[in-house]
Amino acid sequence: MHEADAVIVMQDGHVTHFGPADVLLRELPRGVAIRDWGRDALICAGFIDCHVHYAQTPMIAAYGARLLDWLDTYTFPTELKFADRAFAAAAARAFLKECLRNGITTSCVYCTVHPHSVDILFEEAEKLGLRLAAGKVLLDRNAPEALCDTPQSGYDQSKALIAKWHGRGRLLYAITPRFAGSSSPEQLAAAGALWAEHRDCLMQTHIAETPEEVDWVKQLFPERQHYLDVYDHHGLCAERAVFGHGIWLQEPELQRLHATGAAIAHCPTSNFFLGSGALDLSRVVKAERPVRLGLGTDIGAGTSFSILDTLGEAYKAAQLNRFSLSAFHAFYLATRGSARALYLDDRIGSIAPGMEADLAVLDMRSTPLIDFRMNYARGLGEQLFIQMTLGDDRAVRATYVAGRLAYERIDDRSGLNLSASS
Ligand code: GUN
Ligand code: ZN
């Protein structure tokens, strides 16, 4: 729903009123502070990133490899550095700054194998008041030894992190087996047992990202029907499961995702960057058996924190499959669709009374080219499509987190304003 001239009233972290300005302005109690963002602003629900690795912020844009080489050559060496708390803290702060600069108010995050990598991210997110899900990566094979846990230690550490963080303020825990290639059957079983004990946690992992990986997983688990069955067999396919990528899933797997209420996180910039493929969105959201679908940046295989950029690439991925992703559908994916994927749509992803007050304020004329092009846009659909095709971080003027102005673009380009202003 779109309101051409709107007022959004926020109190105690929630939206209390949303509607036409001419009506609401008359009803507002005296003394309420008003911020007018002007005619060239569009306010939408804060963007939601359903799949991202904060620990890969230090190695985004690593050259020349496909998934499995890329993991060995760049990803694992970087994640090893997270043994150092100071390194992890610097990455967490840089990551969350980028999220706010891009209007992202909720992320579902992979940390590293080190439990303190989760503590550090949650501590920083808590300071900012962000709603955020995250988890310690579980992996016990096919990675450097120093980056591996065991089925038991991974279970114990995750359980302790759940007790400490899950449901604390706006923070949620995501049980995070990295993928079938790096977890033994015993570890997947332990992750499934842990999730059964903590059903309201999320569960995140990767699936069917590249054909080579699908073949490899077939060799690792020859007794399983298909890739999804590896997870399903171990109790890892249900509501609140978020499967990254899913480009190479087959029809029976999509049917099973639909039946169980599990979700796919579509990560188009990553898929293009690693040459993994182009997800056929139309197959995923097929009317007879729609699968919940969210959007992910998948930093650091993904190449942009900008959700607008990511939507532009989602459009191109769909185009390669002869499906035209509309701007309305795209913005839905980045907000309410992603909230549904995470089973958080009763709290975030839309602007309505009772929802948490997470907002992105977009500048619809953020560059000279967009400014010029907007002169010829007919209607909201075209205006939004221009943003997702040409826009990036410059189009985010401000970000509100739980009703607090957490980021405001500084127009002299001298730097970021991330002070705790409100
Ligand atoms: N599969 C297993 N681990 C990863 C990762 O870190 N990034 C991506 N894109 N795919 C993965
Ligand atoms: Zn990923």
Side-chain angles (χ1 to χ4, degrees), residues 103-122:
I104 297 169
T105 49
T106 289
S107 310
C108 192
V109 189
Y110 290 66
C111 302
T112 66
V113 73
H114 314 94
H116 64 248
S117 72
V118 182
D119 288 327
I120 286 165
L121 181 69
F122 276 146

Side-chain angles (χ1 to χ4, degrees), residues 51-53 56 110 206 209 244-245 267 270 298-299:
H51 180 116
V52 63
H53 303 252
Q56 295 172 15
Y110 290 66
H206 296 84
E209 183 175 356
H245 308 290
C267 309
S270 163
D298 193 27
I299 301 299

Side-chain angles (χ1 to χ4, degrees), residues 7 78 82 89-90 112 116 137 146 151 172 190 235 238 247 252 254 275 291 324 346 365 378 381 395:
V7 164
T78 302
F82 280 70
T112 66
H116 64 248
V137 167
L172 299 165
I247 301 168
L254 292 167
V291 175
S324 295
D346 58 338
R365 293 177 178 269
R378 295 155 305 170

Side-chain angles (χ1 to χ4, degrees), residues 51 53 56 67 70-71 75-76 79 178-179 182 206 209 213 245 270 274 298 301:
H51 180 116
H53 303 252
Q56 295 172 15
L67 173 65
W70 175 87
L71 285 171
T75 314
F76 294 148
E79 293 193 11
R178 181 172 212 122
F179 74 140
S182 61
H206 296 84
E209 183 175 356
E213 168 212 359
H245 308 290
S270 163
L274 293 179
D298 193 27

Side-chain angles (χ1 to χ4, degrees), residues 117-138:
S117 72
V118 182
D119 288 327
I120 286 165
L121 181 69
F122 276 146
E123 281 161 14
E124 294 296 327
E126 191 172 51
K127 283 185 210 161
L128 295 165
L130 284 163
R131 180 167 284 292
L132 183 124
K136 174 202 124 72
V137 167
L138 301 165

Side-chain angles (χ1 to χ4, degrees), residues 210-407:
T210 71
E212 303 91 287
E213 168 212 359
V214 173
D215 288 345
W216 187 41
V217 168
K218 225 179 250 170
Q219 290 166 27
L220 291 172
F221 295 88
E223 65 286 9
R224 302 273 62 93
Q225 266 172 27
H226 44 57
Y227 199 154
L228 182 64
D229 189 39
V230 173
Y231 296 128
D232 205 1
H233 177 78
H234 294 101
L236 295 170
C237 182
E239 291 180 0
R240 293 187 186 78
V242 186
F243 291 101
H245 308 290
I247 301 168
W248 302 98
L249 290 172
Q250 303 300 313
E251 182 58 29
E253 296 170 289
L254 292 167
Q255 283 181 13
R256 182 69 184 149
L257 289 172
H258 165 75
T260 55
I264 290 178
H266 178 27
C267 309
T269 74
S270 163
N271 299 157
F272 287 135
F273 184 69
L274 293 179
S276 305
L279 179 74
D280 186 348
L281 269 183
S282 64
R283 262 179 88 224
V284 176
V285 300
K286 202 165 149 188
E288 303 89 272
R289 50 120 194 82
V291 175
R292 284 179 190 242
L293 181 66
L295 189 77
T297 62
D298 193 27
I299 301 299
T303 50
S304 177
F305 277 86
S306 168
I307 293 296
L308 296 174
D309 242 354
T310 307
L311 291 178
E313 298 306 294
Y315 175 80
K316 293 171 196 166
Q319 283 285 74
L320 287 170
N321 289 290
R322 300 181 178 277
F323 175 71
S324 295
L325 175 66
S326 76
F328 293 122
H329 190 170
F331 274 75
Y332 169 82
L333 274 183
T335 53
R336 194 162 169 75
S338 284
R340 279 195 81 240
L342 303 179
Y343 284 78
L344 292 173
D345 47 314
D346 58 338
R347 294 177 239 181
I348 57 171
S350 51
I351 302 173
M355 302 296 285
E356 295 174 3
D358 291 344
L359 306 172
V361 182
L362 302 184
D363 173 358
M364 301 293 272
R365 293 177 178 269
S366 61
T367 68
L369 178 60
I370 295 174
D371 183 35
F372 179 71
R373 175 66 179 87
M374 285 287 282
N375 295 331
Y376 306 103
R378 295 155 305 170
L380 182 65
E382 213 171 303
Q383 292 173 359
L384 290 175
F385 190 69
I386 291 166
Q387 304 307 317
M388 64 188 252
T389 306
L390 300 175
D392 52 30
D393 56 340
R394 291 167 291 182
V396 177
R397 257 182 89 182
T399 305
Y400 284 89
V401 173
R404 184 179 71 83
L405 186 62
Y407 164 72

